[in-house]
Amino acid sequence: MTDTPTIDSALANAELVVRTIAEEAVAQEEYFGSLDAVVGDGDFGYSLARGFEFVIAEWDNIDRTDAGAFLTNVAVMITGHIGGTSGPLWGTAFLRAGAHCMGRTELGAADVVEALRGAIEGIKKRGKADVGDKTLLDALVPAVDELEAAFAAGKDTKAALATMARAAREAAEATSSLEARRGRASYSGERSIGSVDAGAVGVAVLIERVATIWPTN
Amino acid sequence: MTDTPTIDSALANAELVVRTIAEEAVAQEEYFGSLDAVVGDGDFGYSLARGFEFVIAEWDNIDRTDAGAFLTNVAVMITGHIGGTSGPLWGTAFLRAGAHCMGRTELGAADVVEALRGAIEGIKKRGKADVGDKTLLDALVPAVDELEAAFAAGKDTKAALATMARAAREAAEATSSLEARRGRASYSGERSIGSVDAGAVGVAVLIERVATIWPTN
Amino acid sequence: MKKFVNDPKQFVPEMLRGIALANPDTLRYVPAYNLIHRADAPNHNKVTIIQGSGSGHEPAHVMTVGRGMLDGACPGDVFAAPPLDFITETVKLLASDKGVLLLVNNYTGDRMAFEMAEEVASADGLEVRTLFIDDDVSVKNSTYSVGRRGVAGNFFVMKAVGAAAENGADLDELVRIGEAVNAVTRTMGVALTACTPPAKGSPLFELGDDEIEVGVGIHGEPGRRRAKWMPANDIADELLGAILPDLPFESGDRVAVMVNGLGGTPISELYLLYGIIHEKLADQGFTIGRNYVGDYCTSLDMAGASLTLVKLDDEIELLLAEPAEIAIRVF
Amino acid sequence: MKKFVNDPKQFVPEMLRGIALANPDTLRYVPAYNLIHRADAPNHNKVTIIQGSGSGHEPAHVMTVGRGMLDGACPGDVFAAPPLDFITETVKLLASDKGVLLLVNNYTGDRMAFEMAEEVASADGLEVRTLFIDDDVSVKNSTYSVGRRGVAGNFFVMKAVGAAAENGADLDELVRIGEAVNAVTRTMGVALTACTPPAKGSPLFELGDDEIEVGVGIHGEPGRRRAKWMPANDIADELLGAILPDLPFESGDRVAVMVNGLGGTPISELYLLYGIIHEKLADQGFTIGRNYVGDYCTSLDMAGASLTLVKLDDEIELLLAEPAEIAIRVF
Ligand SMILES: Nc1ncnc2c1ncn2[C@@H]1O[C@H](COP(=O)(O)OP(=O)(O)O)[C@@H](O)[C@H]1O
Ligand SMILES: Nc1ncnc2c1ncn2[C@@H]1O[C@H](COP(=O)(O)OP(=O)(O)O)[C@@H](O)[C@H]1O
Ligand SMILES: [Mg+2]
Ligand SMILES: [Mg+2]
Ligand SMILES: [Mg+2]
Ligand SMILES: [Mg+2]
């Protein structure tokens, strides 16, 4: 796969992605909370912010043996400090992604996609959920599909991320027409139709932020 | 005192006054309650209405030996069925008035004034209150003064009652400038200034009603 | 108004029926006089203790009838002292050979009704004594000659005389104990929202979205001042600042502490407030001998809380520690 | 938002501190894991019972730690299951030689966290079993595969297994008892107002001045339907109409009845509602073996109530009647 672009320095990139997500999650606390309040219980923003605040506070102490160790350590911090549904789900996602990066210093496009697919499988299993249940999977899965396609089409990372972000945003907005079948929103049944899923929009916002700050070239 | 008008049939008149007061108290429940809610606890209308409702329900069973027995029986019903501050106060007032009418079949103007003075003394003693404390005494005392003066000036009962009613109304409105020193409103201290006393206005409304329905001649 | 209520005029009777149905073994209900009494009253081996007051303060006092507390409670309608008849009939029905102690919170209406009832009962040859409770520091004795209001501190008087009566104390002794407890008990409350009497159907007073009433009464009477909402730490300072210098309580004192909910405040917030107050008291050198956190004397659905401090001596502390059993139970 | 709170992020820790300070003899507090546990835990003569859940439901569960109930409670933040670490550390600290029973209300977040914790603890060689409680009839099992929610009925599972553990029952036996109680317990709630999470600062949902939410969840989740306010009699019919046919409960059954306040409703209204429900049940041929009226499982400051029925058999009734002692006490 010499024609796919290569991301240099797996650890540096993992750090950049995690730091960006963490800062954005803290910044968006109120907005994410308000999304979850429509048919959920309003704490999605709070939970995420408290967890990633901790990651930021402990930033210098995170294991930096390699990208895999780094992500695994972040996963442990998340499960230890995010409560609610998001703690186990996001923790599992980072844990699975970390497992795919263990011992690597460089990650190719295929590796990144594989790590993300691992995260998705982890979320599905942990949450007993799938695409269409009106969860963050409804933004994450199409976003990863598009990322893979963009890489396959030869786009560079910055461009591929932009494509991924657009897909995530579109898919997140589209959750509005779905009826929730998982999580607290599912208790609303039909009343959940007409508003977007908080987790899906959250994922879109975070991917957009990563796409924006990603250095050109 | 042959020049003072004589009220014939003490019992009939006592019945008329009590019945009028009772019906008006029931009709004004909400209004009296709203007056008490400003700096009191809002139950003045409720308490009075429940008590006089009972008097009306038991109307045919009230002791009609004479006006005194009638008023005494009403007094017992009131203390038995009005709670709060108003039960003891109004009950005492009717009890004292009844005592002054015991054994009488006809009441002269002086008798009426004396009965009302007795009621006032009873209220003062029971409530440890006096004119100026921002209570119903601030309407009742000047009203009885004016009634006495009107009788002395030779007015007939209907006209004397009209004078009394005007005095009660004026004095009740004037309680607005007083600071409450008795009852629940007194806890408001200076904040009680600026609103009328519920009991005083209640007394004025009831006297007005009696003056209105009193037969001419 | 959104409440669990049918006809507002039946609010009190329907509540009393519920209490009676929930406690068939221990309580009796006499609808004609709004009376809830112990199934085993009158007990001629002990003084009968009766509390009357307006309703709307539950669990005070209809739910605090039971062994070691009250023999009976005859409430009036919401926020209205009971009519005279209710009291006299209750006294007649429950009077024990050892006499009757009436516990009354110090309000004009209650004072008058119970003074009249004591006259009537004494004329009937019954031995009756009346104890007025006035623990609310927010009303200054000097300024308003009606005197201080009785609020949540009432619980401590009830508990102490209730325990002593169970142990056989006579009427004089109970009056002495009750007065002693009342003399060392101080309370002040704060309202976060107004309460809504069922028969009125709307809030009793207006309180802005960011306002609180410091020193509020349990009938929604205004307090010392209207203030902007403030953090729990500052509210604790306000309450302690009013209560401590009043007795005064002094560093080194052993105290009982009650954080009482006013009806609409959840117990989570009460414990949060308790934690703050406990630490502040400990910092100032007080020892907390006993603590009470929960709804003891409410003002319908008012959000808010009151703080009560009792200066403990051995006698009071032992009486507070005696067992008791009432309608309010967890298990 | 008007609450007794300082920094909303410290709402849960400050409340836990208050509980600990109020119960120095019986409880211990480990701030690092939001843990409240019995001072004498682990007790190797009994199975350790731990409940975890989001906060905001007090007295459940941090105030129901004590003899005959829980050995420990590790709550998450308001309405959020505890993070995995809190649970695993709690389990490690409190594990007894007879094993650990985890009580969990059936919500996605709680399920996931506790399943992960059970995996971790089992890997560490600890004997751990988890019991999911799902008593809320307002959510239909068939429609939503996440299953029913666990609400106030949780109390009965806690009480029964708590009593059995105190009597020496082993882990298998406790699981059997807990499942048996859960299987005969049904609850439905109604909200008169929305609740306000401290960190959000405004009501979680909109409810009109004349509206109620029938079948509401204890995190403010919507229920079966939005309805106009109705008298207490009609609300009782709604609740009974949903609960009775669900098990089904049948005329002649002996039941325990709980009228549980959701946090902002005063106990007067709860007893009024209890009276109505008691009479309706008696009219339909039920015998009420035990009753519970008060705040057991709240939704912060939400005004409202839930009704729980438990079909009693001798074993369950005896366990419910066993003594227990927790932070929530009257005297
Ligand atoms: N079973 C599940 N699988 C995957 N994602 C889920 C599941 N349940 C909920 N989610 C996601 O989590 C979000 C809610 O997170 P959060 O508010 O932390 O959970 P909680 O319901 O515990 O308050 C939802 O918007 C949804 O995207
Ligand atoms: N001590 C008193 N003496 C005379 N009248 C009084 C006294 N206290 C209160 N009142 C009168 O009673 C009225 C309030 O009656 P009510 O609402 O029944 O009493 P409560 O304060 O018990 O709710 C006041 O408006 C005042 O006119
Ligand atoms: Mg949520
Ligand atoms: Mg009044
Ligand atoms: Mg009143
Ligand atoms: Mg949550």
Side-chain angles (χ1 to χ4, degrees), chain A residues 29 37 39-43 46-47 50 53 76 79-85 88-89 92 126-128 179-184 186-191, chain D residues 9 77-86 106-109 112-113 115-116 119 139 144-147 149 199-200 204 213 219 221-226:
Chain A
E29 173 175 352
V39 284
D41 62 351
D43 62 354
Y46 184 89
S47 293
R50 293 298 80 71
E53 240 169 37
V76 169
T79 51
H81 290 85
I82 301 188
T85 306
L89 288 180
T92 301
R126 181 64 64 202
K128 302 194 178 69
E179 181 175 337
R181 282 196 301 253
R182 286 292 177 281
R184 239 182 261 293
S186 69
Y187 302 122
S188 309
E190 291 181 0
R191 287 202 245 170
Chain D
K9 292 181 192 170
D77 231 302
V78 170
F79 296 171
L84 176 60
D85 283 14
F86 289 23
N106 189 42
Y107 296 93
T108 307
M112 291 193 299
E115 279 165 358
M116 287 167 80
E119 288 167 27
V139 175
Y144 308 105
S145 44
V146 290
R149 303 177 290 217
K200 184 168 189 297
L204 200 47
E213 181 74 32
H219 310 90
E221 304 99 324
R224 290 193 166 188
R225 66 189 187 93
R226 186 73 48 107

Side-chain angles (χ1 to χ4, degrees), chain A residues 88-100:
Chain A
L89 288 180
W90 291 60
T92 301
F94 278 85
L95 201 66
R96 293 298 188 94
H100 280 276

Side-chain angles (χ1 to χ4, degrees), chain A residues 21-32 49 56 209:
Chain A
I21 288 178
E23 284 174 1
E24 187 69 2
V26 171
Q28 299 289 354
E29 173 175 352
E30 213 170 306
Y31 173 55
F32 288 180
I56 292 168
R209 185 77 195 136

